[in-house]
Amino acid sequence: MALTVLCVSFVLLLVLGVPVAFAIGLSCLATFAVEGLPFETAIQMMVSGMNVFSFLAIPFFIFSGELMLHGGIADKIVAFARSLVGHWKGGLGLANVVASTLFGGVSGSPVADTSAMGGVMIPIMKREGYSAAYAVNVTTHASLSGALMPTSHNMIIYAFAAQGAAGMIAGHAVRGVSIGDLMFAGLVPCFWIMVCMLVAAYWQARKFGYPRSEDGRSMVHPFPGWGTVLRTFVASVPGLFVIAIILFCVMKGVATATEAAAIAVTYSLLLTVFIYRTMTRERLLKSLAKASKTTGVILLLIGVSNMLRYQMAYLEIPETIEHALLTATQNPWLMLLYINIIQVILGIFLDMAAHILITTPLFLPLAMQMGVGPVQFGMMLLLNCALGLVHPPVGSVQFVGCAIGKISIGEATKTAWPYYLAIFIAINLVTYVPGFSTWLPSIITGHRVF
Amino acid sequence: MPWLTALNARLSRWALYIASICLASLLVVVVYGVVMRYGFNDAPPYVEQVALLLVISVAMFGASTGVRESGHIGLDSLVRTLPPKVQFWCKVAVEVLSGAFAVSLILGGIEMALSTRGTTIPTLGLPEALRYLPVIIAGVLIVLFCIELLIALFQGRKVEASWH
Amino acid sequence: RTFRSADVHNKDFPTNKAVIFMGDQLSKSTGGKDNVKVFGDSALGSEKDTIEQVKIGALDMVRVNFAAFNGIVPESVLPALPFLFRDMDHFRKTMYGPQGDKILAGFEKAGFIGLAIYESGARSMYAKKPIKTLADVKGMKVRVQPSDMFVSMVGAMGASPTPMPYNEVYTGLKTGLIDAAENNYPSYDEAKHFESAPIYSETMHSMSPEVLVFSKKIWDTLSKEEQAAIRKAAKESVPFYVKLWDAQEKEARAAVVKGGATIVPAAQIDRASFVAVEKPVWDKFTPTPELKALVQDIVNAK
Ligand code: NA
Ligand code: NA
């Protein structure tokens, strides 16, 4: 009964168009009423869900991303990427992939990345002979790497959700997950996604003959020379340096991940005010205000997800799902396939923060029984969530990209399959090849990471 | 109701100011903690709890402006395929339901604040109830914003964001 | 009826097993009428959250560390007082005896029925170097829980108390962000802290135990017989728990040694040098004559 109320009310509210955070909150409250639980407990769980020390990194990473966005770092990265690969066939598409991946690392947020890169690249690409759909798809998909970068606030959310994880992986007792391990674990998959996206973007550009003018002529720019490449690279290095700072702080123990995020903000401020001299008072206030609003939206989602997590635990749903899946199969390959399929379906409805918090307690224990460690599972989960950001109907990154490119969601989705394929390959590599995500952090940290 | 619009535009701006100030203070407090520990070997023990109080303020005030300036993510592609008349009532329902959630924030927040008023926050000595204050205020703001959005719907107007 | 009880540890942890055992005893004595369902792994929230739920009656029971009650029940601070207990025997004699019952009774004013105290071993310091005397710990950055008591205790030793989330401690120790942390053997083992701080000095500075409490709001709706049955079952779970805990602690001690940790035994610790500086902390956290008398009672117990 309670379970029916929970599910039915959630789907109804969502379809009606109630914002996701309120839909989760209201369906939980309805279930609290059915169960006869005092509803202030729901509010308590919401507040305590938001009031987690490691979540302080979330406003900081968002703020630092906003500073980088309004401080014009994006233009410098675009200039570098363009001078490097802009003269090839489909060169702007390739430049966009490189730039989006790099800025993904700087901002740690696919949405910020798409608004930054899209704002600069999509109009240029449209002007210089690429279709809007191509420009939008390249930007949105390459931006997804932001979710796996060290500046990603989603990684912080996952590290928190997985902190109680315990089990035996390959004969080693594993407990919890360290944020430092996770940060390094994302780098190889990110690089791989970039390579896949480059291939997809190049292939599609060849197929459609981009860039081409109205009359069908090809319009490729000449190579600007290595001097320009070097100059634009030097100009964008200070921006990219923020990734290195975070990794350095966490690895060398200067600060915790939370404090590293605060240091990243301080660095972004100093950089845009004193080095780039692009930060005005208005831009600073705007960055602060936008970061506050985004923080509110994300933390409210985190809060209501904690309400839902409580409700699910109370109704013993995780045990039920675990039992059902273990009855369905004992084969690790199949089990991981099922988990990925469910994740993709959930990605349709849920936003990233809610998705991570709700599904980690459901699937991480199962994945660990199948020999997948918490770091590897985190990469799987983040990639699945990232895919949800670019597929309809609720894909916040796709929304932003289409709004900038002034095209409909349907138009973008029609030619998006090569990029979906690229992410699909990445998800499967991460799922079935542990070393893909665990090799680099094991090498760097000097202890085995699972 | 122009007075409500004027009031809400101001409240929404103020909420954003407060959230921004709290975010800036959050940064200052955490960086101060790092500098004191790393530079002076003297970590202030209250940093963690102050930061937690600040972050809940950033979140709740930020989230409440998000309601007026439609910042919260929802699924509206299905509703958009319906006839205008039905769409209208769906939008009305969304505002009413959002308002209902905000009312539960107010009531639940007050209940929790009353229940925790005797408990102190470690290292600060302040009452635990303080944590629920931003929740209650945000609830009130969201209710006001939802009423405004409802009235605007019936008058066929759009609510102008107080800030871009 | 089924009473719901919350815990932050996983289902195999001694505290969870003890509460499950208590439920079985209760079920037996009430002819299956009452039993207990345990929700482990923080499924229903943190220690602080679940205490609040018990208070308002959303949850029937909870097992938490005494530290979580420090801001709510003044008596809960006492067993954590630095160097209060001379050794484990002293702890058991008092906390499983009349002094323990007095402390449990203190929970009632705050809206809780204190059912049982479960020991949690002794918390000791670990670092990259041995800590034998007060001088060794001076100037060290020591990770503490966000608790006024632990902040004062470490501060009184002349060290720098550094509150830090538990899941950051491993890396913090490894990289030198903090110099030392303090905990009991099972946590030292479980969180693998011995990999980053391999020298465990048995300072045994605090023995803050675990406590099992029942919601007073729900308690008052129960019959006298049910109340008596619950109290009895809870008391019966204590010896069962102590056996499990002992085994767990021994196992953890062996595991950390096998993992490369060096143990500085309690006999080599200059306890007197520590005790001398902690007197003001005792005074600070026992503000009333009643609390002072209770502490004296514990100290005098032979
Ligand atoms: Na970021
Ligand atoms: Na989606």
Side-chain angles (χ1 to χ4, degrees):
Chain A
M1 172 61 188
L3 184 57
T4 319
V5 170
L6 185 65
C7 298
V8 171
S9 63
F10 177 62
V11 172
L12 275 180
L13 289 165
L14 209 58
V15 168
L16 195 59
V18 176
V20 179
F22 294 173
I24 297 177
L26 284 165
S27 55
C28 283
L29 286 169
T31 320
F32 266 73
V34 171
E35 286 280 301
L37 285 165
F39 78 111
E40 61 262 35
T41 299
I43 304 302
Q44 180 205 25
M45 291 317 288
M46 184 187 93
V47 170
S48 85
M50 303 197 243
N51 233 310
V52 172
F53 187 76
S54 33
F55 287 176
L56 292 178
I58 296 174
F60 291 145
F61 278 146
I62 292 172
F63 187 21
S64 127
E66 287 292 339
L67 286 172
M68 292 296 198
L69 178 64
H70 293 288
I73 315 287
D75 303 295
K76 300 200 163 41
I77 293 176
V78 166
F80 163 59
R82 222 182 140 176
S83 68
L84 188 68
V85 286
H87 57 286
W88 294 353
K89 193 132 194 97
L92 276 183
L94 303 183
N96 190 340
V97 171
V98 173
S100 293
T101 308
L102 292 178
F103 194 73
V106 173
S107 70
S109 149
V111 177
D113 195 359
T114 298
S115 34
M117 282 304 141
V120 184
M121 287 300 281
I122 293 174
I124 301 180
M125 287 177 73
K126 278 166 77 173
R127 196 177 62 225
E128 299 201 2
Y130 295 79
S131 77
Y134 178 78
V136 168
N137 280 331
V138 170
T139 315
T140 51
H141 290 82
S143 294
L144 295 183
S145 57
L148 275 69
M149 284 288 198
T151 46
S152 163
H153 62 262
N154 288 300
M155 219 173 240
I156 303 284
I157 299 175
Y158 173 72
F160 171 75
Q163 65 179 354
M168 297 294 288
I169 311 289
H172 291 257
V174 176
R175 264 202 89 79
V177 47
S178 128
I179 185 74
D181 297 350
L182 269 176
M183 283 176 172
F184 287 107
L187 295 176
V188 170
C190 269
F191 182 76
W192 169 253
I193 290 175
M194 184 177 86
V195 171
C196 287
M197 290 298 166
L198 283 173
V199 172
Y202 183 71
W203 178 82
Q204 208 169 38
R206 295 292 302 218
K207 189 177 156 215
F208 293 118
Y210 297 140
R212 57 164 193 236
S213 62
E214 299 280 317
D215 52 26
R217 273 186 307 107
S218 165
M219 35 193 289
V220 178
H221 285 276
F223 180 57
W226 286 106
T228 312
V229 174
L230 189 68
R231 191 171 46 74
T232 52
F233 174 68
V234 168
S236 61
V237 160
L240 297 173
F241 209 63
V242 74
I243 312 171
I245 290 180
I246 291 171
L247 289 177
F248 176 83
C249 284
V250 173
M251 194 170 65
K252 289 290 170 207
V254 178
T256 65
T258 310
E259 293 165 346
I263 292 170
V265 178
T266 314
Y267 174 78
S268 309
L269 263 174
L270 294 177
L271 177 68
T272 49
V273 173
F274 294 110
I275 311 291
Y276 286 154
R277 294 167 186 268
T278 42
M279 189 50 69
T280 60
R281 205 172 136 254
E282 266 111 70
R283 283 181 181 164
L284 177 62
L285 291 179
K286 191 167 176 174
S287 307
L288 251 179
K290 277 202 89 167
S292 307
K293 202 168 109 178
T294 310
T295 301
V297 170
I298 291 178
L299 279 179
L300 189 68
L301 263 168
I302 290 178
V304 292
S305 302
N306 198 44
M307 232 191 236
L308 180 57
R309 216 173 62 98
Y310 173 89
Q311 193 50 256
M312 293 200 303
Y314 199 85
L315 299 174
E316 296 169 42
I317 295 173
E319 289 91 330
T320 315
I321 290 183
E322 188 175 327
H323 182 76
L325 277 172
L326 281 173
T327 316
T329 183
Q330 297 276 345
N331 177 325
W333 278 70
L334 270 181
M335 178 66 83
L336 294 173
L337 176 68
Y338 291 162
I339 291 178
N340 277 334
I341 291 173
I342 300 174
Q343 298 276 19
V344 171
I345 295 171
L346 286 172
I348 292 175
F349 299 108
L350 291 172
D351 194 70
M352 207 155 171
H355 190 155
I356 296 169
L357 283 168
I358 293 165
T359 60
T360 302
L362 294 183
F363 298 123
L364 179 57
L366 265 175
M368 289 182 74
Q369 283 181 45
M370 298 298 139
V372 170
V375 168
Q376 189 193 345
F377 179 79
M379 290 301 124
M380 266 170 73
L381 177 57
L382 288 171
L383 270 172
N384 274 310
C385 291
L387 182 59
L389 294 177
V390 286
H391 76 60
V394 194
S396 44
V397 170
Q398 201 178 29
F399 282 162
V400 173
C402 289
I404 296 171
K406 302 195 177 65
I407 54 169
S408 72
I409 303 279
E411 207 175 321
T413 313
K414 235 182 290 168
T415 50
W417 68 265
Y419 311 100
Y420 288 156
L421 181 68
I423 300 172
F424 175 78
I425 295 173
I427 291 178
N428 281 290
L429 267 173
V430 167
T431 307
Y432 295 113
V433 186
F436 196 59
S437 47
T438 58
W439 170 77
L440 188 65
S442 297
I443 293 288
I444 293 176
T445 61
H447 61 260
R448 269 196 80 177
V449 170
F450 293 97
Chain B
M1 273 207 269
W3 66 268
L4 183 64
T5 304
L7 173 72
N8 278 358
R10 190 167 289 178
L11 286 177
S12 174
R13 228 172 10 239
W14 282 354
L16 206 57
Y17 288 151
I18 296 175
S20 301
I21 292 168
C22 290
L23 179 55
S25 321
L26 185 64
L27 179 66
V28 172
V29 166
V30 173
V31 171
Y32 172 75
V34 178
V35 171
M36 287 305 284
R37 188 188 58 228
Y38 202 65
F40 301 91
N41 208 355
D42 179 22
Y46 53 82
V47 163
E48 183 172 343
Q49 296 302 325
V50 171
L52 285 177
L53 283 179
L54 283 171
V55 82
I56 197 100
S57 308
V58 177
M60 291 318 296
F61 285 107
S64 61
T65 37
V67 172
R68 190 164 185 272
E69 341 252 291
S70 41
H72 294 277
I73 313 141
L75 176 83
D76 55 357
S77 44
L78 287 171
V79 173
R80 266 193 230 151
T81 60
L82 299 171
K85 193 99 202 177
V86 185
Q87 264 193 50
F88 173 80
W89 287 107
C90 283
K91 283 183 187 158
V92 169
V94 168
E95 297 310 333
V96 171
L97 287 164
S98 303
F101 181 70
V103 170
S104 74
L105 285 182
I106 302 173
L107 298 178
I110 291 175
E111 283 287 331
M112 282 309 298
L114 289 176
S115 169
T116 54
R117 67 187 186 283
T119 312
T120 49
I121 300 175
T123 70
L124 282 189
L126 295 169
E128 185 69 40
L130 209 58
R131 223 182 280 283
Y132 294 93
L133 193 63
V135 178
I136 300 169
I137 300 175
V140 174
L141 290 175
I142 296 174
V143 169
L144 284 173
F145 296 157
C146 287
I147 294 174
E148 185 193 3
L149 288 164
L150 262 181
I151 295 173
L153 262 179
F154 280 103
Q155 292 176 340
R157 289 186 299 115
K158 265 202 150 49
V159 169
E160 287 296 322
S162 64
W163 166 89
H164 294 280
Chain C
R1 57 179 288 190
T2 301
F3 298 117
R4 289 181 163 87
S5 182
D7 199 302
V8 293
H9 290 303
N10 67 48
K11 60 183 190 304
D12 297 324
F13 203 77
T15 51
N16 272 330
K17 287 190 171 162
V19 178
I20 292 168
F21 176 83
M22 175 217 160
D24 294 342
Q25 296 298 105
L26 179 64
S27 178
K28 259 183 236 158
S29 69
T30 57
K33 206 173 81 174
D34 289 335
N35 48 44
V36 175
K37 155 95 189 141
V38 176
F39 291 78
D41 279 325
S42 306
L44 299 185
S46 65
E47 291 194 330
K48 195 179 88 187
D49 297 335
T50 43
I51 286 175
E52 198 55 45
Q53 288 163 27
V54 167
K55 186 174 167 191
I56 62 177
L59 187 65
D60 305 291
M61 290 157 60
V62 68
R63 191 291 314 162
V64 295
N65 191 274
F66 259 64
F69 270 107
N70 285 176
I72 308 168
V73 178
E75 287 85 351
S76 69
V77 180
L78 300 189
L81 284 177
F83 304 99
L84 174 65
F85 300 105
R86 295 183 294 274
D87 50 32
M88 216 53 223
D89 283 339
H90 182 205
F91 173 94
R92 286 179 181 163
K93 201 158 280 167
T94 50
M95 288 301 105
Y96 299 147
Q99 291 88 351
D101 287 338
K102 253 185 226 162
I103 289 176
L104 283 179
F107 283 76
E108 189 150 352
K109 319 187 270 301
F112 305 90
I113 302 297
L115 290 180
I117 295 176
Y118 299 127
E119 66 192 61
S120 190
R123 298 176 76 96
S124 291
M125 304 248 182
Y126 46 90
K128 286 182 174 140
K129 61 184 190 107
I131 297 171
K132 291 181 178 172
T133 70
L134 190 64
D136 292 333
V137 76
K138 209 161 225 130
M140 272 188 170
K141 278 174 283 189
V142 181
R143 185 266 169 179
V144 292
Q145 304 159 284
S147 136
D148 290 311
M149 165 79 146
F150 279 84
V151 168
S152 304
M153 175 194 312
V154 169
M157 293 176 190
S160 170
T162 310
M164 174 187 275
Y166 190 61
N167 57 348
E168 313 238 28
V169 174
Y170 178 94
T171 321
L173 283 167
K174 189 161 208 167
T175 56
L177 186 61
I178 44 174
D179 304 308
E182 48 87 50
N183 223 315
N184 54 23
Y185 276 117
S187 303
Y188 183 54
D189 170 36
E190 202 177 62
K192 299 268 175 289
H193 288 172
F194 61 86
E195 291 176 0
S196 347
I199 302 181
Y200 189 92
S201 308
E202 288 186 335
T203 52
M204 299 174 60
H205 52 268
S206 178
M207 296 195 184
S208 184
E210 315 292 327
V211 63
L212 178 66
V213 299
F214 202 95
S215 167
K216 183 159 171 13
K217 210 165 176 179
I218 296 169
W219 185 262
D220 291 340
T221 67
L222 303 178
S223 68
K224 283 271 169 304
E225 296 74 50
E226 267 178 312
Q227 292 178 353
I230 293 169
R231 277 200 193 277
K232 185 164 155 283
K235 287 282 177 229
E236 283 164 357
S237 71
V238 174
F240 174 82
Y241 169 86
V242 171
K243 227 178 282 158
L244 287 179
W245 175 260
D246 247 358
Q248 170 108 2
E249 207 172 28
K250 282 210 181 73
E251 199 182 305
R253 196 175 190 281
V256 299
V257 170
K258 189 165 165 266
T262 309
I263 287 167
V264 180
Q268 290 182 27
I269 308 286
D270 178 13
R271 192 179 155 90
S273 69
F274 287 100
V275 173
V277 295
E278 297 293 355
K279 277 287 173 244
V281 179
W282 286 28
D283 291 336
K284 183 175 168 199
F285 289 94
T286 53
T288 66
E290 292 79 27
L291 291 175
K292 283 200 171 64
L294 193 47
V295 168
Q296 206 47 52
D297 194 17
I298 295 171
V299 172
N300 293 344
K302 285 283 167 301

